[in-house]
Amino acid sequence: MRSLVLNQMMERIPEIVFKWYHSLFSKRVDLVCDYAGNELFLIELDSLLLFCFSDPRIDFCEGFQLLHAVYTVEKLLRGLLSRKCNFHIVCFDQNEELCVPPTADPKHHTKYLLARSVIVRHLQRNLPPDSNILVRRFSSFTDVAFSSYLNDTGVYFVMCHDGAATGSGKSKESVMSRTQSIPGKALQASRKLDNISDAADRMESFSLASKSELFRKLNLRVMISWFISNQYNVALINELQFVDTKALIMVLEFSRLKDTQDFSAWYGMGLSNRHLTRSSSRLDDLKQVDHLSERDVITILAIRDAVEADQVSNDEALSFLLHSAALHFLPLKNRRIQKLDGVLNIQHVTHSFTQSALSLLRDPAFMGQLDGRGLSCNLADLLDGFLLAMTIHNREFCRVLLTNHNLKTKFETLSATLSHLCGRQIVRKTKAPRAIDTKTHALFSSISIERSLLPFKNPVFDKHLAPIHLRIANHPSTCVAPGQSKIFKELSHWHNHRKAIVLKGPPLQEGWFARRRNQWFMAEMQVYAASLTNAAGKVLEPETVIAGQSSPSSKQAKIAQLSKSVRSQQVVKETSSKGVKKPGNPTKKSGKAAALEAAAAIKAEKAQSKADVDAAFWKARCKEILSQADPQVCYILAKNYLQSLNTTDVLGPEVELFMIDCLLRIWTDSRKSKDGVAGMGIAALIWDTYLRLSKVKTGMTQDIVPALEAISKMLGFPLISFQPNGPNRPLAFTCLIPKQQKQQSLTPGHRDLLIPSGPSKFQLEHCGPYLDRAIDSAPDPRVSFHPDAWQRKVLDAIDDGKSLFVVAPTSAGKTFISFYAMKKVLQASDDDVVVYVAPTKALVNQIAAEIQARFSKAFKRPGRSVWGIHTRDYRINNPTGCQVLVTVPHLLQIMLLAPSHAEKKNSWSYRIKRIIFDEVHCIGQADDGVVWEQLLLQAPCPIIALSATVGNPKEFSDWLSSTQEANGNELVTVQHQHRYSDLRKFIYVPPKKFCFLGLPDLPLIHTPGLDGTEAFAFVHPVASLINKSRGMPNDLSLEARDCLRLWECMAKYETKKYPLPPTLNPDHALPNVIKKIDILKWEADLKAVLLKWMDDDNSPFEKVHQELSKGLSQPVSRNILITKHNCDDKCKNREVIADDLLSTILPALADLHSKDALPGIVFNYDRRMCEKLARTVINELEEKEEVWKQSSPVWKKKIAEFEKWLRDQEDAKARAKAVKKVGKKKGKRGNEDDGDEDKKVSKAEREREAGSAEPSKWAGFDPGTPVDGFHFAGIKKVAPSELQDFQHQIRNRGVDEWLVNGLERGIGVHHAGMNRKYRQVVEILFRKGFLRVVIATGTLALGINMPCKTVVFAGDSVFLTALNYRQGAGRAGRRGFDVLGNVVFLGIPTAKVFRLLSSRLPDLNGHFPITTSLVLRLATLLHESNNSQFAIKTINSILSQPRLYLGSPDSKLAVLHHLRFSIEYLRRQSLLDMDGAPLNFAGCVSHLYYTENAAWAFHALLCAGYFHDLCQDIDANPERVCLTLMLVLSHIFGRQPCKRSDEEFVKHVIKRSSSIVFLPPLPKQAKKTLHAHNEETLAIFQTYVKTYADQHLHEPDDKLPLTQLRIGSDEIFSMSANMLLPSTLVRSPFIALSGHGDRFDTISELCSTVRSGVFLEEAVVPYLPIYPEESDTPLNAYLYDFYKHGDVKALKQANKIRSSDVWFYLNDFSLVLATIVTSLTNFMKLSPKSDVDMIDIMGSGDANEEQQDDKAINMQDAQNSGCGDEKEQEGSKLLEAEDDDDFSDYVDSKDDSEFINVLKAFKIVQEEFNEKFKKMWA
């Protein structure tokens, strides 16, 4: 009956669940750096075990190698820990059967369940405390206790298995069989087949092997659905891949799923939930167990049960005990045992023992007793099937074991205990075991891996390789014979075979397009630079730098400070001695002194005259301002006037006093109206003005000082002393306070003006943004501001030529560092170079523009410039002719490794004096991080490394210090933790309904923050500390107000046991006038007490936390948001869906606008969503504006008046034209004289009228321009003509019209997929203040100068991490503009908000930097620069590092061994000769360095002649050749793995799409060639492991990788060869237990099973695994599909390539094709004089932007001069000429002819691919 029900449900449920699962969004990410960071996540135990137990190398059958299984689990967990993951393991009892792989034989299921129980017990007892791993057990994921656990721990996400097959050959074959035929007509025909019946189609489409597999998948995915529905992302453990130091994994996102499903009601379906009978054994049955271990106890009790049940004999029981004793003493290396021929089956013994042991481990009562004994837990090595077979059947083996005294004693103890337990003597039968054939065989035999290395001698490398002792072949047959290879040389740039590198004679002039483009770039850069501002918010002014003119040094700065102090003392002395007549006659002044004195007097007189004029003007202006009735308007007008004055103007204090008077009037009104919130903001502004005036050195008159004192007394401010410091003059206005009041006591009415909370609390509550932020600042002649102590330390390090590592948050003041270093280099000479390395092109553009705005310099020689840009997209100025090069990491490395830059002492590389690495935390990125690391290692000069977000600064500093020390530089580390302006965080509370009638009017006076409205719920930072176990992040900052509220709460809930020290009372802890530095100290003291409370569960911390987080879990939602007050009952409002960003974005922006909290940046980490959000806002603004226009009588009247004005203008033009015609007619009749006088008069009158006429208000009116209230633009910031010019430029570049029009409404979009010019315009207009809303991805978070008032994080994402949050939030709070920054969370769960605020930054991990491609490039640099000193220094720098990479232990020998075998690989691939000279295709491989391992596979096919054979029919059958070639390239380059679960849907997808989705197998010959290459590489690195182990690894490899539990002992046993297989040297002895020797089928197997102590990272071994033979990860056919159909939509829907990634993936492949074509072309043009220089690379997508730029330039020139079309035609002809290759010119032999066919085929593929690619933007 149960089976029938299950069958009926199976027809319905799997389809629903699997269809839902297939709809989930997934993203492959770096688990730590991109996603988890230090966050706690869960690993579901049975998912972990299913993943590990699916390893086919583990013997769960005859041998039952339990220890091997435990080792596999520990190794995976150790891999996660080494990558700094933070996780717990959860065990659900109901999931027990899910750990059994689908391919397991049912008769062995109990073994898997026993392994599961053993591993749980082993981990619970033996995990090291410092691992922080907890193993928790629950009945199921629906258990209430589990829900409480989730709430208590704040878990971030869960790692699960989705049941998709891993390593299942059957599933791979089924997928490959569907896709291996080239889908042409056959595929089209298949799509025309009739639909199969639903049931059959359902079962076929899921490719299920059995019902058990179906139920396993079903239950795992039901569990995933439960986590997804509870807002937990799920990471798929069966998609986990360790690559170098990264852990890549597929993450399923709950936030992107609109309809969540909960299938928990179906949980457990199909699981038998078998429960073995619980054991009746009691631990009390054993006497004196203290000397036993848990393994001994379980073994004895389980064997007792088996003996009493007659399931095993006495002999077998004793043999089992001998086996257990052997496990304790037999060394692990001696346990690789032969499988015996003809032995009796022992499965009944293992089965009986497994059943009994499992019953014991499942018995809670028994395990409780075991816990109480505290015995050592060695259950991980409970049973070894092969060892047990030997003890049962091999008498000689048993005899040898018993010769060991310790082992024999242990055996006798176990035997006696068993006999006692059974109540009878357990002895062997008198009949000895039957003799067995000693002939043995090994299924997994070891093979000889002895191999000689090819000779290699190079003096530079030999010095480092001296410690490596290897066997070198004397006469290697594999050596390349002389004449069979060519020394690698290149004549042309590798990206463009037409462009020569080394030229004779004068340099060729750049083409017209290149020159014109460079001119336009320079013009754009000047416009861009004009939008940049300094830290004070002022426009940057360029400083002219003169070479040889040095700036003050650190010593001079100290002397200057000292001399200033001395001078001040002298001034005091002179002042005190004034009036005292000096003895003697004064000497007569010299003529020069008299002249100077006279000049000073004239200057003073002019200054006084100017001051009088300014005072008169201010008086008149003041009168105009006072004519305004509203004091707020007066305040704004006075503020604008103040901003027009110079900072040293003597009128400044009087104007500020006037502003205080205006604020005082507003404060008086607010006190009368009891508007406390707004009023306190006004009082805070008054206090801010007081603080500014306290620092004023001029202009404080005798009338100003008493007025300030009186107002201060009236408001109850702390006492600030003001001293008159200027000549007195009457005030231009009358203060609110009567004159007599200034000297008398306050009246009762004036007492009402006192600030209600007292001066200290007032400053803390309301004045935090205005506090004095100086931290030990002092004047310094080296910079124009007063640097803090940490900034002076930075200046000293730069002056002393030391390297620098600076960690400081955004807005802390890091910007000056780079520009000070640049100025030092510019001043030193005209030749020295400083390189600025930025992670993004957007940051490159900004830095270059800022250099343009800051520095100018005249050069004596042509071709030199201050700065230059060099990226893959474009160059501005000569990269080697500028003094400040701004570039990206890849390009700098190319330049540093270019031999032409290192040949001579004056070559470019020698001239580099400093390299600045901005955003250096990018070293942790999975993609380009290795390039950052390589650059830091090879930097030829002192460096500056800057970052705001390094999670482990101490560790990174130590590593960086060691690298710099190896390069001869001293590193200075400076860490500063405080922002200049504080950030205040809010959660947006959307309304239920939204009535938009136009944006509300802005408040006249802005007070910082978003308080005082229901729209924004304030988040106190302490409220985010929901998980006490995580502690408090170091950078959790509290502003003054936060500290006050924290102190109040702590004081409220303190107890006698947990007191709050009285010294923390703000009245005692803080001075009268509070500064930021006082708050920082108070904050630290409060946090120290709070941390103690957090660590104690009995403390009042929970009460404090609840108090500070009130209302945040469920904020009170608003009913309706009305943007205008004239809304009535007929108002058309719309509903707001709270969890829909498209519905809430405009209400949020409107609320921010109403608080004057714009400009703002809205961050969303999905490019398409950014565009959707912008388009939604723009469309709604346009629609509402149109509705308003249709209904507004004001607008209709305005349009009528405008149309009338237009008609009047037309009439005037018509009359003027008529008058002109009449005049001409009169002239013809000869009546000129008669009317001449009248004509002259009328003309003069017309001119006077025209001059006196005012311009009409309609002249600049455009009815198409957005109406005020329906745009966010700052229309006064940019002239309409300037905006139109920008719009015209981006229209010419093909930017969508809605984006162009969006600029008019003050809205822009910014992400890496946007047009470069459009992004630049968005940045300029935002900085100018015209754009007030920019919606962006993380492109604006990395150092871009786009400061704003508010940052909005809109929507959750896997990329919204602690790192990205801090980077994005750092944009808020514009230094020089804003005293406070706002951070708003929109559409993000509150729990995620708390996590972001309380998370620690992830620790940086490095990469193994010495890749094989880098070795080849270094050898090329050395050889082609003729062993230049720069090349030698570069190699020495890299190879002298003491540590392998950031985060690794000291392992220099491992580096050197790996280096030598990388050289061996290059030698055997004929890429290096024995002296280190590059050979043959070395250039091609080097140029493809960024593809790393794909380059080696390509080279293997190229040098083996595969491409020659394939392309010989290119003329006869081009379609077949190109399609096959594209298939091969798709297997090599741009690999994107599919989810394994996608295999289940492949047939369903193929039937409905033009894509085949899964990549068909490689052609047989290509597969054979790559397999041979991989076998050769395997042999090389197998020898590497052997030689390294021989020379350096002398300790036994017998400890488990995570728990470090040692297996076996050091006892020596004399075993004969027929008993044991040889112990392994290369493979881990734990894996050898299952019979595996030192023979490996794949490199992946070698890397994953190598013994400990050897560095062997698969990612850096030069090979590419072949799918499916060498890899179980299916490959996405997106490149192959796109080449065939060119359908981007199919890539998104069928291939599941995210729309935001498509362009980048295709452009990367286009770049690969360009590299190959040019490299092969270069290879055909060898010459004795050549060089390698890698410059100007770009894919077809990037090239298209350049073409768009050229088109825009041409169109502009056409409008200006009318000659653009001719230039365009001329340029087109030149381009056509360049592309028109006549291959016949290159053919000199048959080999050349074959090579030409290869080149021709690649060019055809390139052209066809790029043609389809270009249609994306056509």
Side-chain angles (χ1 to χ4, degrees), residues 1053-1092:
Y1053 295 108
E1054 68 173 331
T1055 63
K1056 291 182 179 180
K1057 187 176 180 181
Y1058 302 97
L1060 189 63
T1063 55
L1064 293 182
N1065 188 311
D1067 292 334
H1068 301 133
L1070 301 171
N1072 290 333
V1073 178
I1074 303 172
K1075 297 183 179 181
K1076 180 69 174 178
I1077 195 170
D1078 302 319
I1079 298 297
L1080 295 177
K1081 184 179 183 304
W1082 190 40
E1083 175 192 2
D1085 294 339
L1086 285 170
K1087 283 182 179 178
V1089 178
L1090 186 67
L1091 278 171
K1092 291 180 181 179

Side-chain angles (χ1 to χ4, degrees), residues 1504-1524:
Y1506 171 76
F1507 290 130
H1508 294 69
D1509 296 338
L1510 172 64
C1511 300
Q1512 62 183 352
D1513 295 334
I1514 185 61
D1515 294 324
N1517 196 344
E1519 183 177 356
R1520 182 192 67 81
V1521 171
C1522 291
L1523 201 58
T1524 306

Side-chain angles (χ1 to χ4, degrees), residues 70 83 234 260 455 459 654 683-684 738 843 1092 1119 1160 1164 1180 1278 1331 1490 1495 1566 1585 1717:
V70 174
R83 289 161 176 84
V234 173
T260 57
E654 183 175 340
L843 186 53
K1092 291 180 181 179
N1119 184 40
N1164 182 283
E1180 189 163 2
V1278 171
L1331 291 188
Y1490 52 91
V1585 177
V1717 168

Side-chain angles (χ1 to χ4, degrees), residues 233-296:
N233 287 345
V234 173
L236 298 179
I237 194 169
N238 49 316
E239 301 288 348
L240 177 64
Q241 190 178 15
F242 292 137
V243 178
D244 201 357
T245 61
K246 308 302 174 187
L248 303 181
I249 200 166
M250 194 75 76
V251 175
L252 309 176
E253 300 179 63
F254 81 84
S255 61
R256 301 195 65 194
L257 190 67
K258 293 184 178 179
D259 299 321
T260 57
Q261 299 287 335
D262 183 4
F263 304 111
S264 56
W266 298 333
Y267 174 55
M269 180 180 299
L271 300 180
S272 62
N273 295 321
R274 296 190 306 263
H275 290 288
L276 300 179
T277 304
R278 289 185 176 179
S279 171
S280 59
S281 298
R282 291 170 52 84
L283 202 57
D284 296 339
D285 296 340
L286 291 173
K287 303 299 182 183
Q288 297 179 348
V289 299
D290 294 342
H291 64 284
L292 301 177
S293 66
E294 289 192 3
R295 177 176 63 200
D296 298 334

Side-chain angles (χ1 to χ4, degrees), residues 831-874:
D831 296 322
D832 292 348
V833 174
V834 58
V835 182
Y836 187 100
V837 183
T840 63
K841 292 179 285 187
L843 186 53
V844 166
N845 289 335
Q846 179 201 295
I847 294 299
E850 197 155 351
I851 298 170
Q852 167 77 20
R854 287 178 180 270
F855 303 118
S856 65
K857 186 176 181 180
F859 292 91
K860 298 177 182 178
R861 286 175 289 174
R864 292 298 177 93
S865 61
V866 172
W867 60 272
I869 286 181
H870 193 188
T871 69
R872 278 181 171 162
D873 296 4
Y874 59 93

Side-chain angles (χ1 to χ4, degrees), residues 1188-1189 1191-1201 1258 1267:
W1188 179 83
K1189 286 181 177 179
S1191 61
S1192 172
V1194 175
W1195 175 256
K1196 292 177 180 178
K1197 179 181 177 182
K1198 191 172 187 178
I1199 289 297
E1201 292 176 355
W1258 303 113
V1267 178

